[in-house]
Amino acid sequence: MPESVTTLQRTGGREISRIVYNEDTIAARVAEMGHEISEAYAQNEPLLVLGLLKGSFIFMSDLVRHIHRPLHLDFIVASSYGSGTVTSGDVNLLYDPSISLESKHIVLVEDIVDSGTTLSRLVPMLERRGPLSLEICTLLHKHIAANLILEPRWVGFDAPHEFLIGYGLDHSEDFRNLPFIGSL
Ligand code: IMP
Ligand code: MG
């Protein structure tokens, strides 16, 4: 492991216990997901890829480069977590896309589905804006959400029930820049 990664592993006294998905594994799966999304919509239909910040920013940027069809993109900022590793149950919308969702196919891009609280709040809100369709694409899914109102159509990996960091995912804002996904 490179020196820089070793240093990152000790950020704030927290230690990464293991690498769960390495760079190559992530890249291969993200490319597959991009191709699947490309084929799911007719070429002439308007597609808006909507990323949930901040966690999805790296996944989103890799993913859209594997979607080989015209698209628009925007972001939403929804915060459901404080600084710790346990969900608070509240979702605050800090940024809302200014562009219309009406008569567009929407793919909502998430980093990880955990309790499902974020999606359960967001999906009805987005559906009220009259999209042609709404689908969720998540890199990771813990499969512990009790009442997900919309199951993700595209899931990168069925994630272990651990706190994962890296490739956009954070713990108290640390570790987002790790190129792999690790467990704390
Ligand atoms: P949910 O609302 O509980 O499904 O959680 C959604 C959000 O919480 C995700 O978009 C992440 O930002 C964050 N989150 C949930 N689990 C993890 C984890 O294991 N590592 C890092 N962030 C997480
Ligand atoms: Mg987060």
Side-chain angles (χ1 to χ4, degrees), residues 8-26:
L8 262 169
Q9 288 199 342
R10 295 195 211 97
T11 305
R14 289 147 300 173
E15 233 182 271
I16 295 163
S17 57
R18 66 186 178 102
I19 294 176
V20 182
Y21 307 104
N22 68 29
E23 282 185 76
D24 291 345
T25 305
I26 296 169

Side-chain angles (χ1 to χ4, degrees), residues 107-173:
V107 175
L108 185 61
V109 178
E110 253 283 43
D111 53 354
I112 185 164
V113 180
D114 186 355
S115 72
T117 308
T118 312
L119 289 178
S120 296
R121 283 284 306 273
L122 269 179
V123 166
M125 192 205 88
L126 296 177
E127 274 174 345
R128 277 196 297 276
R129 298 188 189 182
L132 271 179
S133 68
L134 176 64
E135 300 285 358
I136 296 161
C137 172
T138 187
L139 179 64
L140 303 159
H141 195 339
K142 287 188 184 171
H143 295 286
I144 54 174
N147 38 21
L148 259 191
I149 53 176
L150 180 62
E151 267 300 325
R153 178 164 172 187
W154 296 284
V155 176
F157 303 100
D158 297 324
H161 299 170
E162 299 164 27
F163 199 84
L164 303 174
I165 43 79
Y167 196 69
L169 289 97
D170 74 303
H171 178 260
S172 301
E173 295 302 324

